[in-house]
Amino acid sequence: MSIAAAIRMPKPESVPTPAADDAEAKLDLLAVNTIRTLSMDAVQAANSGHPGTPMALAPVAYALWQQVLSYDPSAPHWPGRDRFVLSNGHASMLLYSLLHLAGVAQLDGADRPTGELAVRLEDIRRFRELDSRCPGHPEHGWTTGVETTTGPLGQGVATSVGMALASRWLAARYNRPGFELFSWRVWAVCGDGCLMEGISSEAASLAGHLELSNLCWIYDHNHISIEGHTDLAFTEDVPARFAAYGWNVLRVTDANDLAALGGAFRGAAGESKRPTLVVVDSHIGWGSPHRQDTSAAHGEPLGEDEIKLTKRVYGWPEDAKFLVPPEVPKRFAETMGARGKAKREAWDALFARYRQQFPSEAAELDHIFAGTLPQGWEQSMPTFPVDPKGMATRVSGGKCLLAAAKAIPWVVGGAADLTPSTKTRLDFEGAGDQQGPGWTSAVPEGVDPASTTCSPAGRNVHFGIREHAMAAICNGMALTGLRPFGAGFLIFSDYARGSIRLSALMELPVVHVFTHDSIGLGEDGPTHQPVEQLVSLRAVPGLLVFRPADANEASMCWRTAIGLGQPSVMVLSRQNLPTLDRSVGGSAEGVARGGYVLAEAGTGSPKVVLIATGSEVQLCLEARAELEASGVPTRVVSMPCTELFDRQDEAYRDSVLPPAVSARVSVEEASTLGWHRYVGSGGAVIGMHTFGASAPIKELMQKFGFEPGAIAATARGLL
């Protein structure tokens, strides 16, 4: 049946009343209404927020947590737990109410209990206020129990695919007969907005292909968005769409039917071949006499009078605010809490026995759980001999990634259908290709089927042409402890920007690899030549953007990015770059400080400083030779990561860029924004002020002024 044509449930006048002798049903209803009223009261107190969805989904979330979810509130980071994702993060009070009522413990940065609840009642009272653990949208790392930051619609469900992929990968690599450590599932609640966003389509398509049967999306089908009824813009048959993706589709026609909800969730948990979509027909603002089924219930407080009327419908004390009947936390503790604690204790005992029988595997898992790396892994990173011809940094970078992946077995990733171009295939023995259990021969073209295996344990993930979902899926894998990477062309980082931003916001150790880094692409023309991408990525707080100048800088960039464990972008060239002679120049170790002196002035103090990244460093070295020959002492600074350079103390930065030298020239085949802070008011910036053009690379370099002679002339003009 088409969702657009679905018959609406009659508008309820009151909450269904349990039979007088049904004590458990009464407790369940009390708990559901506690979630609803906490959400209404918090939004009203903040005079900001989204009450309608928590009011509608309270029974849905309650049924999942009470009947099915495997989770121990006293150990919320237990590795064997199910993951719960609220993709429609505007409904954050639904999650905060659950965390409070379930008694989820707040952990510190070392995963130690602080002795406090993750969400205290005072935090709910201060919803959306500064320093409350109940911010407007759920933020990972701020409130324990929030598995991922959500808010931008579609991100949560796309991230959940990465979590589910990681769970299955961990099971395939580490489970042993009698030791089923990893069987946890991922449950994601989403709404119409999430399913309208293109990223959810990308992610759902890949999840169906990979047969992620440990994944369930719960679709809140309430027909309402901010502008009004979803028929304004959204009339597709969602169940048919997901069936076409290869999903199992279930439906619950009444969001208040706890028994039907539990049955659907158990059905999803029993599915062994496909991910599951549970479509739940609901009413936004359920129980509100004047706001139910209206867009007004979505994103604004109900108002004091409407809240009183709604509480009357619920049979709730009309004047009570933030009321938590003591029976409700007790109900959570006796059901979900007891079940989760028993499962966690059994898991801990199983892992202790596993450690004795499989010590090397257990040691790897210790690193994954703690977010650490094997001792000495960096010694595997390659060094490259001097070579005037050199190689493209996409090639040297690929060799570095390969070395890191050999040393760190939980490095997993792939490209958006661009592995041959980005050079990011892990082709060593045992790496394999990530596929669902039903796929046995889907290997990339040019790869000998006998040299690889297709299985859930594969470390090469074929994301397809899905840049946005790729980045979100990498975030999901990182949230489980893996070290993921995703690759594409720099120009298409625009397609992945929302997910890259969340990598940085959550401080996840994801490496986003982007090749084909400049107008040096030549004939591909301006549609493929990145200009503004570098500066826009550098504008993201906490994101490290690396653009190496040669193979040894590429090796240090990879070593630094992985070692720091911060969200990073690797920007690599298609064209060959000479491998520099470090015996007469600065060591590539300087990459760790973001910028360093690569070539010093020949005699005395420099009168000119040339600053560059990537392929333009070689141009500056050639310009330096011309300037030195004409009697101008010239220093060349390589600046592969401006973010790391900016972190250095003033003394180091001044030693690289002497304040007394005002004749500075920066050179980068990209937007000039940001470079003026390094060259100062007396310097010059050589970069792109327009889009590129389609022509052979030599003609482009001449047209846009990226030639040693032009750089030298600009420097002379400053003296």
Side-chain angles (χ1 to χ4, degrees):
M1 177 175 61
S2 168
I3 279 189
I7 297 175
R8 305 299 305 278
M9 293 180 290
K11 190 171 183 177
E13 296 301 327
S14 62
V15 177
T17 303
D21 58 349
D22 194 341
E24 286 202 356
K26 286 184 175 181
L27 273 177
D28 289 338
L29 181 57
L30 186 67
V32 167
N33 287 336
T34 303
I35 296 170
R36 286 171 166 148
T37 55
L38 281 176
S39 300
M40 292 189 301
D41 289 341
V43 171
Q44 187 65 38
N47 196 29
S48 172
H50 302 75
T53 298
M55 294 163 68
L57 291 185
V60 178
Y62 177 77
L64 175 66
W65 281 51
Q66 284 295 85
Q67 299 185 42
V68 179
L69 194 72
S70 182
Y71 187 86
D72 181 3
S74 68
H77 287 177
W78 158 47
R81 71 190 182 279
D82 283 356
R83 269 62 169 180
F84 175 78
V85 174
L86 184 67
S87 188
N88 41 352
H90 57 269
S92 56
M93 270 310 307
L94 175 68
L95 178 56
Y96 300 147
S97 298
L98 290 165
L99 295 176
H100 175 71
L101 297 174
V104 174
Q106 178 73 3
L107 305 180
D108 64 14
D111 276 359
R112 296 169 300 203
T114 64
E116 294 183 330
L117 293 180
V119 174
R120 303 158 297 188
L121 196 57
E122 64 190 84
D123 294 307
I124 293 177
R125 291 179 184 274
R126 298 181 60 249
F127 176 55
R128 290 187 164 225
E129 292 186 16
L130 186 65
D131 295 330
S132 170
R133 292 198 198 123
C134 296
H137 292 81
E139 296 182 23
H140 173 74
W142 181 252
T143 309
T144 303
V146 175
E147 300 284 4
T148 182
T149 297
T150 56
L153 294 176
Q155 285 287 340
V157 285
T159 302
S160 75
V161 173
M163 295 176 174
L165 190 156
S167 174
R168 195 177 68 177
W169 186 89
L170 289 165
R173 179 172 178 85
Y174 295 108
N175 283 1
R176 298 291 184 271
F179 292 92
E180 191 175 351
L181 292 175
F182 300 102
S183 59
W184 49 268
R185 306 185 63 82
V186 184
W187 306 88
V189 174
C190 60
D192 294 293
C194 290
L195 296 191
M196 289 187 213
E197 289 286 359
I199 189 174
S200 66
S201 299
E202 294 180 20
S205 174
L206 185 60
H209 167 79
L210 292 175
E211 303 172 5
L212 295 177
S213 59
N214 58 349
L215 176 66
C216 177
W217 291 2
I218 303 164
Y219 169 33
D220 173 28
H221 173 226
N222 63 34
H223 299 274
I224 296 296
S225 62
I226 290 176
E227 292 186 355
H229 199 284
T230 52
D231 281 353
L232 285 167
F234 190 55
T235 53
E236 66 190 46
D237 190 332
V238 172
R241 167 181 152 196
F242 275 77
Y245 288 148
W247 286 54
N248 173 39
V249 180
L250 304 174
R251 189 160 198 158
V252 177
T253 58
D254 182 355
N256 289 305
D257 190 336
L258 297 181
L261 289 165
F265 299 150
R266 284 186 289 274
E271 174 62 39
S272 61
K273 295 182 179 180
R274 301 167 293 174
T276 297
L277 178 75
V278 178
V279 181
V280 180
D281 294 320
S282 72
H283 292 279
I284 195 167
W286 195 87
S288 171
H290 303 106
R291 297 291 185 91
Q292 180 176 306
D293 295 329
T294 69
S295 59
H298 169 79
E300 60 186 56
L302 296 180
E304 294 288 359
D305 291 340
E306 187 70 12
I307 285 177
K308 289 183 178 181
L309 292 174
T310 306
K311 287 179 177 177
R312 185 182 303 169
V313 171
Y314 295 161
W316 202 261
E318 296 176 21
D319 294 321
K321 295 184 178 181
F322 301 102
L323 174 62
V324 178
E327 303 96 315
V328 174
K330 183 180 179 183
R331 175 70 168 162
F332 271 90
E334 291 176 346
T335 51
M336 186 199 86
R339 181 180 69 246
K341 182 178 180 181
K343 288 188 175 183
R344 192 260 304 167
E345 290 176 344
W347 191 95
D348 287 346
L350 183 67
F351 187 54
R353 296 195 301 273
Y354 181 93
R355 186 185 299 280
Q356 293 178 342
Q357 294 198 32
F358 308 102
S360 61
E361 289 86 350
E364 289 184 8
L365 288 172
D366 287 338
H367 282 300
I368 292 173
F369 299 155
T372 55
L373 299 171
Q375 186 174 3
W377 73 272
E378 65 277 2
Q379 297 174 9
S380 66
M381 300 304 288
T383 56
F384 298 88
V386 177
D387 182 357
K389 180 181 178 182
M391 66 183 77
T393 51
R394 63 170 174 164
V395 174
S396 56
K399 295 178 184 293
C400 300
L401 168 60
L402 196 66
K406 286 182 179 179
I408 307 169
W410 50 98
V411 169
V412 179
D417 196 49
L418 289 170
T419 301
S421 294
T422 58
K423 309 300 181 186
T424 48
R425 179 168 176 78
L426 307 181
D427 60 3
F428 53 83
E429 184 178 357
D433 289 84
Q434 175 68 215
Q435 293 291 357
W439 294 85
T440 57
S441 60
V443 299
E445 185 174 344
V447 174
D448 181 2
S451 69
T452 187
T453 55
C454 294
S455 75
R459 295 174 64 185
N460 288 289
V461 182
H462 301 282
F463 292 103
I465 306 167
R466 305 180 178 100
E467 287 89 354
H468 201 183
M470 173 179 71
I473 290 167
C474 286
N475 289 345
M477 289 193 282
L479 285 163
T480 67
L482 304 189
R483 288 300 187 99
F485 66 92
F489 290 169
L490 180 58
I491 192 71
F492 301 132
S493 65
D494 290 342
Y495 286 168
R497 182 58 51 84
S499 299
I500 294 173
R501 185 178 189 272
L502 284 179
S503 295
L505 186 57
M506 291 188 278
E507 302 178 353
L508 300 179
V510 178
V511 180
H512 303 276
V513 182
F514 293 115
T515 66
H516 297 56
D517 67 342
S518 71
I519 64 169
L521 297 182
E523 294 85 351
D524 277 339
T527 63
H528 279 51
Q529 293 169 1
V531 172
E532 72 277 19
Q533 283 68 29
L534 272 172
V535 67
S536 63
L537 288 166
R538 288 173 180 150
V540 179
L543 185 67
L544 301 179
V545 181
F546 293 91
R547 189 171 182 240
D550 75 343
N552 286 308
E553 274 201 8
S555 184
M556 277 302 303
C557 285
W558 271 102
R559 176 175 172 176
T560 303
I562 293 177
L564 289 175
Q566 294 181 230
S568 303
V569 173
M570 209 65 61
V571 180
L572 308 171
S573 73
R574 184 181 73 166
Q575 72 268 36
N576 286 347
L577 305 181
T579 304
L580 303 175
D581 185 354
R582 298 288 170 169
S583 67
V584 295
S587 167
E589 297 284 336
V591 167
R593 305 190 80 166
Y596 65 102
V597 178
L598 175 61
E600 188 54 279
T603 57
S605 300
K607 291 186 177 179
V608 168
V609 177
L610 305 179
I611 315 164
T613 73
S615 55
E616 292 79 82
V617 170
Q618 178 61 29
L619 300 179
C620 287
L621 289 172
E622 295 174 23
R624 172 186 175 275
E626 182 178 327
L627 289 165
E628 290 274 349
S630 63
V632 180
T634 303
R635 170 185 289 185
V636 174
V637 170
S638 179
M639 189 82 76
C641 183
T642 60
E643 296 82 12
L644 288 179
F645 184 73
D646 291 345
R647 293 180 188 178
Q648 307 307 309
D649 59 40
E650 184 178 6
Y652 177 78
R653 287 184 277 115
D654 287 349
S655 73
V656 175
L657 302 175
V661 182
S662 62
R664 305 179 188 177
V665 182
S666 70
V667 187
E668 188 173 64
E669 296 175 24
S671 169
T672 60
L673 289 175
W675 281 108
H676 294 86
R677 71 183 188 273
Y678 299 115
V679 302
S681 59
V685 176
I686 298 176
M688 294 296 295
H689 300 279
T690 67
F691 293 110
S694 177
I697 184 172
K698 290 184 178 180
E699 295 180 23
L700 289 175
M701 296 302 105
Q702 182 179 18
K703 174 179 174 62
F704 291 106
F706 295 105
E707 292 186 311
I711 297 169
T714 300
R716 288 192 191 96
L718 298 176
L719 294 173

